[in-house]
């Protein structure tokens, strides 16, 4: 048996077209153009490529984008000043500071400086609190938000299902576990301290891998036949002398055993970008008191 591929790129493209129409409507009916500011500190090639990608998608859907580039030597105060200027700018609706920041900068302090109403990454304490209290006016982190859409495409009702999230980071694992339980799945949150991970994972219908280790989840981790695998990992490796992008799941082997699986690339990655754009439209509507059309 070979698993059905959950095509994140196609689903993201479809959802982005819907956002494009919403943005056009905001522009023509309300004279509002949602604007996303992306702050990049330094020139890490991976960060540069993520930022370029976000900028390209924003432009494709008619969103305004405001790239802010600072040198890797920028001080914490300089970064905070840039964030405060964006907070104060009424034309900017969403602010994202690309992580990781250089080691001399305290990322928590920078995240805390972003106006929660513009925190489209959903990392600010206020938005984390809102998510955990089930309040709908905050921002959900983009990657877990995208994963939930992918899951719902193949399984609209998660009630009674057992889901395991491998990884407990603040940006992926923890909010993912929260969203799954909100959707009535029974959730296990696994991490590096989990004993006999393979046996634990094999008890679950849904597996979310967010570990950061190339092809770590093997076929023996997977419940046969009906498991759904969402692979969040993005790992750059070299194979046969060539650079290659792989997930946290051993795709070739696991797709022989599971029912559904996301590929890397083309799975969760494009959905994260959709989540960011969706949150920015949400922020623009909230800032201008506009009820969001769906
Ligand atoms: P972190 O490094 O912050 O967290 C990794 C988590 O994996 C930790 O909780 C860690 O456990 C756990 N872990 C590490 N080793 C093991 C192990 N041997 N067994 C079980 N658990 C383990 O990573 P992120 O959450 O930021 O990212 C995870 C992956 O997702 C990365 O590949 C990243 O590139 C990718 N990513 C992809 C995105 C996308 O858009 N597709 C967006 C964001 C991230 P512990 O807490 O015990 O240390």
């Amino acid at each position: 048996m070979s698993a059905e591929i959950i095509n994140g790129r196609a689903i993201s493209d479809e959802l982005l077209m819907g956002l494009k129409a919403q943005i056009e409507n905001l522009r023509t009916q309300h004279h509002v153009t949602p604007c996303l500011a992306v702050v990049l500190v330094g020139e890490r090639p991976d960060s540069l490529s993520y930022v370029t990608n976000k900028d390209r998608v924003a432009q494709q859907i008619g969103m305004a984008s405001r790239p802010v580039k600072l040198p890797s030597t920028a001080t914490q105060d300089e970064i905070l000043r840039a964030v405060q200027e964006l907070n104060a700018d009424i034309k900017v609706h969403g602010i994202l500071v690309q992580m990781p920041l250089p080691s001399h900068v305290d990322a928590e302090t920078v995240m805390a400086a972003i106006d929660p109403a513009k925190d489209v990454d959903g990392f600010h304490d206020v938005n984390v609190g809102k998510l955990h209290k089930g309040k709908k006016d905050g921002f959900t982190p983009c990657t877990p938000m995208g994963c939930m859409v992918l899951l719902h495409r193949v399984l609209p009702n998660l009630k009674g299902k057992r889901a395991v999230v491998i990884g407990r980071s603040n940006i992926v694992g923890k909010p993912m576990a929260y969203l799954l339980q909100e959707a009535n799945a029974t959730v296990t949150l696994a991490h590096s301290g989990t004993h006999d991970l393979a046996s634990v994972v094999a008890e679950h219908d849904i597996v979310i891998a967010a570990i950061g280790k190339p092809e770590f989840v093997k076929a023996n981790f997977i419940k046969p036949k009906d498991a759904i695998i969402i692979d969040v990992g993005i790992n750059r490796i070299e194979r046969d002398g060539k650079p290659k992008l792989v997930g946290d799941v051993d795709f070739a082997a696991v797709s022989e055993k599971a029912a559904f699986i996301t590929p890397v690339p083309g799975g969760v990655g494009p959905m994260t970008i959709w989540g960011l754009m969706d949150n920015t439209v949400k922020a623009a509507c909230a800032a201008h008191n506009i009820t969001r059309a769906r």
Side-chain angles (χ1 to χ4, degrees):
M1 191 199 83
S2 202
E4 193 175 311
I5 306 291
I6 308 175
N7 187 339
R9 183 161 315 280
I11 296 169
S12 165
D13 283 349
E14 172 201 320
L15 294 171
L16 285 170
M17 282 305 100
L19 276 185
K20 188 177 180 182
Q22 287 182 39
I23 291 168
E24 175 65 7
N25 184 55
L26 283 173
R27 197 176 59 75
T28 54
Q29 304 293 312
H30 301 278
H31 311 291
V32 170
T33 301
C35 174
L36 172 66
V38 180
V39 180
L40 175 64
V41 184
E43 288 175 353
R44 278 177 62 119
D46 53 346
S47 294
L48 201 59
S49 112
Y50 292 141
V51 167
T52 308
N53 221 359
K54 288 164 187 168
D55 195 46
R56 183 180 51 79
V57 173
Q59 289 185 23
Q60 277 170 359
I61 60 172
M63 186 179 281
S65 69
R66 179 86 62 86
V68 177
K69 291 196 175 152
L70 298 172
S72 59
T73 51
T75 64
Q76 179 150 310
D77 280 349
E78 284 167 338
I79 300 168
L80 290 174
R81 249 195 318 278
V83 167
Q84 278 147 10
E85 276 170 26
L86 296 168
N87 282 343
D89 188 334
I90 55 165
K91 288 212 164 107
V92 171
H93 303 105
I95 303 170
L96 175 151
V97 178
Q98 185 64 46
M99 299 291 163
L101 288 168
S103 55
H104 65 276
V105 180
D106 180 36
E108 272 298 324
T109 305
V110 174
M111 274 189 265
I114 298 173
D115 178 351
K118 297 189 180 189
D119 168 43
V120 286
D121 250 342
F123 296 162
H124 193 286
D125 289 356
V126 166
N127 286 313
V128 175
K130 284 187 175 182
L131 179 72
H132 283 257
K133 284 191 139 188
K135 294 190 173 173
K136 303 293 176 216
D137 63 338
F139 295 104
T140 302
C142 309
T143 301
M145 189 172 154
C147 290
M148 288 306 289
V149 173
L150 294 180
L151 256 182
H152 277 129
R153 284 291 169 114
V154 295
L155 187 67
N157 186 0
L158 306 194
K159 192 171 175 185
K161 297 294 175 187
R162 296 196 65 193
V164 58
V165 182
I166 319 172
R168 56 177 163 183
S169 71
N170 289 330
I171 62 168
V172 187
K174 284 181 196 157
M176 188 71 230
Y178 177 79
L179 292 175
L180 285 162
Q181 63 80 26
E182 272 283 279
N184 291 322
T186 302
V187 184
T188 303
L189 184 51
H191 43 73
S192 64
T194 301
H195 177 65
D196 194 3
L197 183 67
S199 305
V200 170
V201 174
E203 292 168 2
H204 293 80
D205 311 296
I206 296 163
V207 180
I208 315 284
I211 312 160
K213 296 202 163 144
E215 300 175 335
F216 182 84
V217 174
K218 305 291 182 196
N220 66 309
F221 287 48
I222 304 302
K223 187 176 170 181
K225 287 203 277 204
D226 57 358
I228 303 171
I229 317 297
I230 307 286
D231 189 354
V232 179
I234 301 178
N235 306 288
R236 289 172 170 79
I237 62 160
E238 203 164 287
R239 181 159 292 155
D240 305 326
K242 289 187 196 141
K244 192 170 165 42
L245 216 56
V246 297
D248 289 345
V249 175
D250 180 351
F251 182 86
V254 169
S255 59
E256 287 303 314
K257 206 163 171 192
F260 295 95
I261 188 166
T262 59
V264 177
V268 174
M271 292 303 293
T272 296
I273 296 195
W274 161 76
L276 180 65
M277 302 300 148
D278 193 80
N279 276 345
T280 306
V281 172
K282 180 178 180 178
C285 289
H288 295 274
N289 247 330
I290 300 167
T291 305
R292 193 168 175 194
R294 286 282 180 183

